[in-house]
Amino acid sequence: MTKETVVNDHDQTENHLITERREKLAKIREERSVAFPNHFRKDTHAKALHKEMEGLDRDALKQKGKIVKMAGRIVAKRLFGKGGFISLRDQTGDIQVFVNTGLIGAEAFADFTTWDVGDIIGVEGEVSRSDKGELTVRANQLILLTKSLRPLPDKFHGLTDVEARYRQRYLDLITNMESRETFRKRNLIVRTIRSFMDARGFEEVETPMMHSIPGGANAKPFITHHNALDMEFYLRIAPELYLKRLIVGGMERVYEINRNFRNEGVSTRHNPEFTMMEWYWAFADYQDMMDMTDAMMKEIALRVNEGSTKVQYQDYEIDFAIPAARMTVQESILKYCDVAKDYDLNTREGVAALADHLHIKYDKENDCWGKILMEIFDDQVEEQLLQPTFITGYPLAVSPLARQNDENPLITDRFEYFIGGREVGNGYSELNDAEDQHQRFMTQVEDKDAGDDEAMHYDKDFVTALEFGMPPTAGEGIGIDRLVMIFTNAPSIRDVLLFPHMRVRNS
C-alpha cells in the first residue's frame, strides 16, 4: 500500500466521521432550542481536585461527600452496558468521570452514548474513587456544551507531526499536555520578571511599535506605510532609543516587555517577531547589570522549578544558583579555539591570519579588527557556551550604542549573556556622550551606504535628547523566547511560540 493510498483512506475516514458528527448536530438543533448552551458554570479544575483529594481513600471521600461542577473536553470514552467512563480534560489536566443509568437516568444516558471524543461538556457529581483507586467524579448531571465536528488526531495519542503542531497549535494544546505546560511556564517566567523588576523600583512603560527611524539594534526592519500621514514606518526592531529618552527625562529605572520585528532569517533560534525584555538603570554600569541578571535568573529558576535552581536542558544540567562565568571575547577564543594561542588577537593582522587558518570568511578589504574578531567568536566559541556565561570586551566597531572602555578605546563596556550555546541577553554601559554618538551614527550611515542593510540609521532626535544630558546608565535586553527555551527544555524557538511564522502551504 502506497503512502498516497494511506492518506486518501485517512481522508475518506475523516470525512465520514465529520459527516456523522454534522448529522448528530442537526438532530440536536431539531430537538433543542439552544444547540450550544452557555449557562453551565464550573467551580473546580482537575489539577486542584487531584491535589485536594490526594491521600483520601474511597471511604474518606464518601464521608466528605464533595459535589463538584467541572467542564472540559472528552478525550477518551469507554462504554459497557448501562455505564461507562470518560476522561475529561480542562486547562489543568484530566479527571475521570463515571456515568450510568442509575445516576443520570436511562434517557440522559442514551443521549450521552451518542457523544464523541472531542465534545465539550459540563458535569456535576460527587467525588469518589473507582475500584482501581482512580479519582472519579460520579456524574449526576451531564450537559453537552459544544459539539465537536472534527475528530481529534491520532485517536488522541497526541499530535506528533511537528509541523502540524506549529500550524494548528489549537490541536497541539488539546492533545499534548506538555505543550500546555510549556506555555504555562512561559507565562510564569514573564510574571516573575515583572515582579522582580517592580520589587527593585523599575517602572514598566510602553513605547511605540512603529518607528519613523529604525534603531536600537543592527537588524533589517520590516517596512509599512501609513496612509493618513503618507509616510513609511518601520516595525520596531528594538525599543532601546525610546527607553533611553525616558532616562533623559528623569525616569531613572524603566523596563518594557515588548514585541520586536526583524526581517531576517527563520531558524530554530529566530522568528520574524519575538519578545524581549529591555531595561535601563541610571547611575549603574554593565557590571551592575550582570549581577542583576544572575539574581533574576536564580529567581526565575526558583519559581519555574518550584524551589530548585537546577534546570535540565538537553543533555546537561544548569544550576542558576551559580553565578555565570565571565570572560572577554579574546579570552573565550583562547579558551575554546586551540590554535588561537599562536596568533596575536590584539591586531588586525593577527585575527585575519587566524580567520584565514580557520577558513572563516570576512571582507578582506573593509573589515576592521573588531569585525574579524567577532567572526571568529561566532564560528568558534558561541555554540560551546552551554553554561551561563557573560562575554565582555566587545569591539567598538560592533557596538554602536555602547560606552567606550576607559582603558582600551578599541572595546566597549558591553556584555552578551549566553546559555545553551546561544545569546540570550545583551547589555552595556550606555553611551551618553552626544558628540560620540553622533560620530558613531555617521559611521553606521557610511556602512549602510556601502551596502550593509543591517546598519543603523541616523536618529537626529535621539542625539538631540543626549545633548540635553543623560546620566550614566546601564541597559540590557533579554530574549524572552530563548529564555523560555532554556527553562522548558525546548530545542526550537517554535516550541515556545504559540503561533510561530510558517511558510504558507500550497494546498
Side-chain angles (χ1 to χ4, degrees), residues 36 129 145 164 238 262 264 273 303 362 372 440 453:
F36 291 81
R129 288 200 184 275
L145 301 174
R262 298 182 184 179
E264 300 171 343
E273 61 176 296
R303 287 289 302 277
Y362 63 94
I372 302 173
R440 295 203 208 177
D453 58 6

Side-chain angles (χ1 to χ4, degrees), residues 76-289:
K77 181 180 175 184
R78 179 165 55 91
L79 298 176
F80 49 88
K82 297 181 179 181
F85 287 97
I86 60 175
S87 291
L88 187 72
R89 173 167 293 178
D90 63 22
Q91 69 173 358
T92 67
D94 297 351
I95 189 74
Q96 179 170 270
V97 178
F98 173 68
V99 187
N100 74 358
T101 56
L103 290 170
I104 64 172
E107 183 178 347
F109 184 80
D111 199 23
F112 159 71
T113 61
T114 67
W115 297 355
D116 296 299
V117 169
D119 289 349
I120 297 172
I121 68 170
V123 57
E124 180 178 349
E126 184 175 350
V127 182
S128 180
R129 288 200 184 275
S130 67
D131 293 339
K132 296 182 179 180
E134 184 173 350
L135 192 67
T136 303
V137 175
R138 295 173 57 84
N140 57 45
Q141 180 184 349
L142 285 175
I143 180 171
L144 179 63
L145 301 174
T146 302
K147 181 64 190 171
S148 172
L149 298 180
R150 289 181 177 270
L152 295 178
D154 194 28
K155 297 182 180 179
F156 203 71
H157 292 150
L159 187 63
T160 56
D161 183 275
V162 174
E163 183 172 339
R165 291 177 61 186
Y166 299 150
R167 291 187 183 278
Q168 295 178 288
R169 183 65 81 185
Y170 46 90
L171 286 181
D172 180 37
L173 295 172
I174 290 171
T175 59
N176 294 316
M177 290 303 292
E178 296 82 1
S179 290
R180 291 197 194 186
E181 180 65 7
T182 291
F183 293 106
R184 185 193 71 82
K185 286 185 176 180
R186 182 188 177 105
N187 291 334
L188 179 58
I189 288 168
V190 173
R191 291 200 306 271
T192 301
I193 289 173
R194 280 198 166 97
S195 64
F196 180 90
M197 301 302 292
D198 294 345
R200 286 157 179 79
F202 284 78
E203 296 182 69
E204 185 172 10
V205 298
E206 295 177 317
T207 62
M209 294 181 70
M210 292 196 303
H211 295 179
S212 58
I213 299 173
N218 293 88
K220 186 177 181 180
F222 287 96
I223 304 174
T224 187
H225 185 82
H226 191 285
N227 292 335
L229 295 176
D230 191 24
M231 63 180 291
E232 285 188 340
F233 280 92
Y234 302 88
L235 295 184
R236 176 171 62 193
I237 59 175
E240 177 170 340
L241 301 187
Y242 282 93
L243 292 173
K244 287 181 183 177
R245 286 172 168 90
L246 299 180
I247 297 292
V248 171
M251 300 178 70
E252 296 182 358
R253 301 185 182 199
V254 295
Y255 76 96
E256 182 175 13
I257 296 175
N258 54 84
R259 298 290 284 181
N260 295 321
F261 307 84
R262 298 182 184 179
N263 196 1
E264 300 171 343
V266 177
S267 72
T268 57
R269 302 184 184 186
H270 299 88
N271 196 65
E273 61 176 296
F274 58 96
T275 303
M276 285 187 66
M277 198 279 279
E278 285 204 20
W279 76 97
Y280 292 84
W281 183 3
F283 309 107
D285 66 13
Y286 77 114
Q287 300 279 356
D288 298 313
M289 298 304 268

